[in-house]
Amino acid sequence: MRHLLSLVEVGPENLSRLIDHSLAIAAHGVSVPPLAGKTVGIYFKRTSTRTRTAFTVAAIKLGAAPIAYGPNDLQISTGETISDTARVLSGYLDALVVRTNESINEMRAFASQNDMAIVNAMSDTEHPTQAVADLVTIKEAFGRLRGVDILYLGEGNNTAAALALAVSMTEGMRLTIVTPEGYGLPSTVLETANGFSRQSGSVVEQHHDASSLPRGFDVVYTTRWQTMGESKPDANWKEKFMPHRVTQELMQRFSKHAGTIFMHDLPAVRGDDVVDEVLDGPQSVAFRQAKHKLTSAMAVLAWCIAAD
């Protein structure tokens, strides 16, 4: 049994293993369900279309029985401590997949026991399983990760943080993050990523102006500007984000070659973070990327519960 709370704790070797296992599942499926007889809890405190469905279907395809909990279904909402709830659930469940927009410390409290795997399906600071799906999509598109050059545009949110960590752990990749001033990745995330980069030879850098970037990219990636639909305190925030909208002109400018792909973790706010012509266009792999939420969820559950 293993927890997956942060990519930092997963490490480069296990991240690579998760990516390759996900690709193998995409290509060949699962012949013998490795989680037969297991039970997986799906506890989502916030809205979700892709991640909740992906982990539920993943559990079923792997042979496990899923149980869904809403934000007010557990006695945590009436005052029971998370650690007490975790001790009880660990007697029933083999894994608990948790989504929250709150501190990752909540998930660490769930992980205070060692009989039930805890999977971070998104916290306020990191979305690790999204990053697995992202690199799976990129490796499927290019047949490799080494040498792939990614441009990320938008907010330095939990998806961007996970992507930065994943790239920094992968040999020879490059990630250029461009965010509006005041909306970048925290310095602690960049410092951690740079620590991994020194070992892997990858590059992760952050800017606030895309106009000065001279080179083309293999991947152009954006996310919804309001993570989980959360409002921003600055009433004029959207004006700062509009230069980061992915348009056809931006794709033409930053595409390195005809095979450059567009990625989006979805949901997209069409017309804001990306225009229809790009999201639905020939360079977009956003919906294939969404499909890999399932294959990566299967790889993650197998790794956490069956130690695959």
Side-chain angles (χ1 to χ4, degrees):
M1 187 278 298
R2 304 178 176 115
H3 302 303
L4 196 163
L5 303 179
S6 169
L7 292 178
V8 172
E9 296 158 14
V10 170
E13 184 176 340
N14 286 320
L15 174 60
S16 178
R17 184 176 295 119
L18 287 171
I19 292 165
D20 288 342
H21 190 189
S22 178
L23 284 169
I25 290 170
H28 307 294
V30 177
S31 56
V32 179
L35 301 187
K38 305 294 186 180
T39 307
V40 176
I42 313 290
Y43 176 44
F44 276 49
K45 296 177 66 176
R46 302 304 298 267
T47 59
S48 172
T49 298
R50 280 147 292 275
T51 307
R52 182 185 344 223
T53 306
F55 272 101
T56 302
V57 175
I60 295 169
K61 285 182 175 290
L62 293 172
I67 299 178
Y69 303 103
N72 299 312
D73 288 346
L74 299 179
Q75 296 288 5
I76 294 168
S77 63
T78 66
E80 184 175 37
T81 66
I82 293 175
S83 58
D84 284 351
T85 299
R87 288 176 67 184
V88 171
L89 289 179
S90 68
Y92 312 140
L93 304 176
D94 297 285
L96 183 66
V97 181
V98 182
R99 163 166 288 193
T100 178
N101 211 25
E102 300 167 23
S103 170
I104 196 172
N105 291 333
E106 181 178 9
M107 295 186 192
R108 296 197 184 283
F110 273 113
S112 60
Q113 47 68 47
N114 289 310
D115 297 313
M116 173 179 66
I118 304 300
V119 177
N120 179 355
M122 195 183 77
S123 68
D124 61 336
T125 56
E126 191 178 339
H127 196 351
T129 62
Q130 177 65 55
V132 177
D134 293 343
L135 266 61
V136 167
T137 306
I138 293 169
K139 190 168 185 178
E140 182 182 65
F142 297 103
R144 58 183 169 81
L145 293 174
R146 180 186 289 274
V148 174
D149 203 348
I150 306 169
L151 172 64
Y152 174 94
L153 296 160
E155 186 175 33
N157 56 18
N158 42 26
T159 291
L163 183 63
L165 292 172
V167 168
S168 71
M169 295 179 187
T170 306
E171 291 185 4
M173 292 192 79
R174 186 182 189 100
L175 172 64
T176 302
I177 300 168
V178 183
T179 74
E181 289 279 359
Y183 294 94
L185 281 178
S187 59
T188 52
V189 174
L190 290 172
E191 289 167 5
T192 301
N194 288 333
F196 281 111
S197 292
R198 284 191 287 271
Q199 302 173 48
S200 67
S202 62
V203 176
V204 175
E205 57 185 29
Q206 181 168 263
H207 303 272
H208 301 295
D209 181 9
S211 64
S212 61
L213 299 178
R215 63 184 185 278
F217 296 85
D218 301 296
V219 180
V220 177
Y221 192 139
T222 194
T223 65
R224 183 178 180 175
W225 292 341
Q226 290 181 284
T227 304
M228 297 298 298
E230 294 286 343
S231 60
K232 301 185 188 302
D234 181 1
N236 300 315
W237 68 269
K238 190 173 282 191
E239 295 178 12
K240 300 177 181 178
F241 277 80
M242 288 305 290
H244 300 78
R245 178 171 59 175
V246 180
T247 62
Q248 287 182 302
E249 292 75 20
L250 185 144
M251 287 298 297
Q252 290 171 0
R253 176 183 173 189
F254 289 116
S255 292
K256 182 186 293 185
H257 43 67
T260 292
I261 61 175
F262 169 74
M263 297 178 64
H264 195 304
D265 64 344
L266 302 178
V269 179
R270 291 170 178 262
D272 280 3
D273 35 82
V274 61
V275 300
D276 291 352
E277 292 80 3
V278 173
L279 185 59
D280 299 324
Q283 290 178 277
S284 176
V285 296
F287 293 93
R288 182 63 181 173
Q289 182 183 359
K291 173 70 172 178
H292 280 307
K293 297 275 284 187
L294 172 59
T295 62
S296 61
M298 292 174 71
V300 164
L301 287 178
W303 182 77
C304 286
I305 302 174
D308 276 5

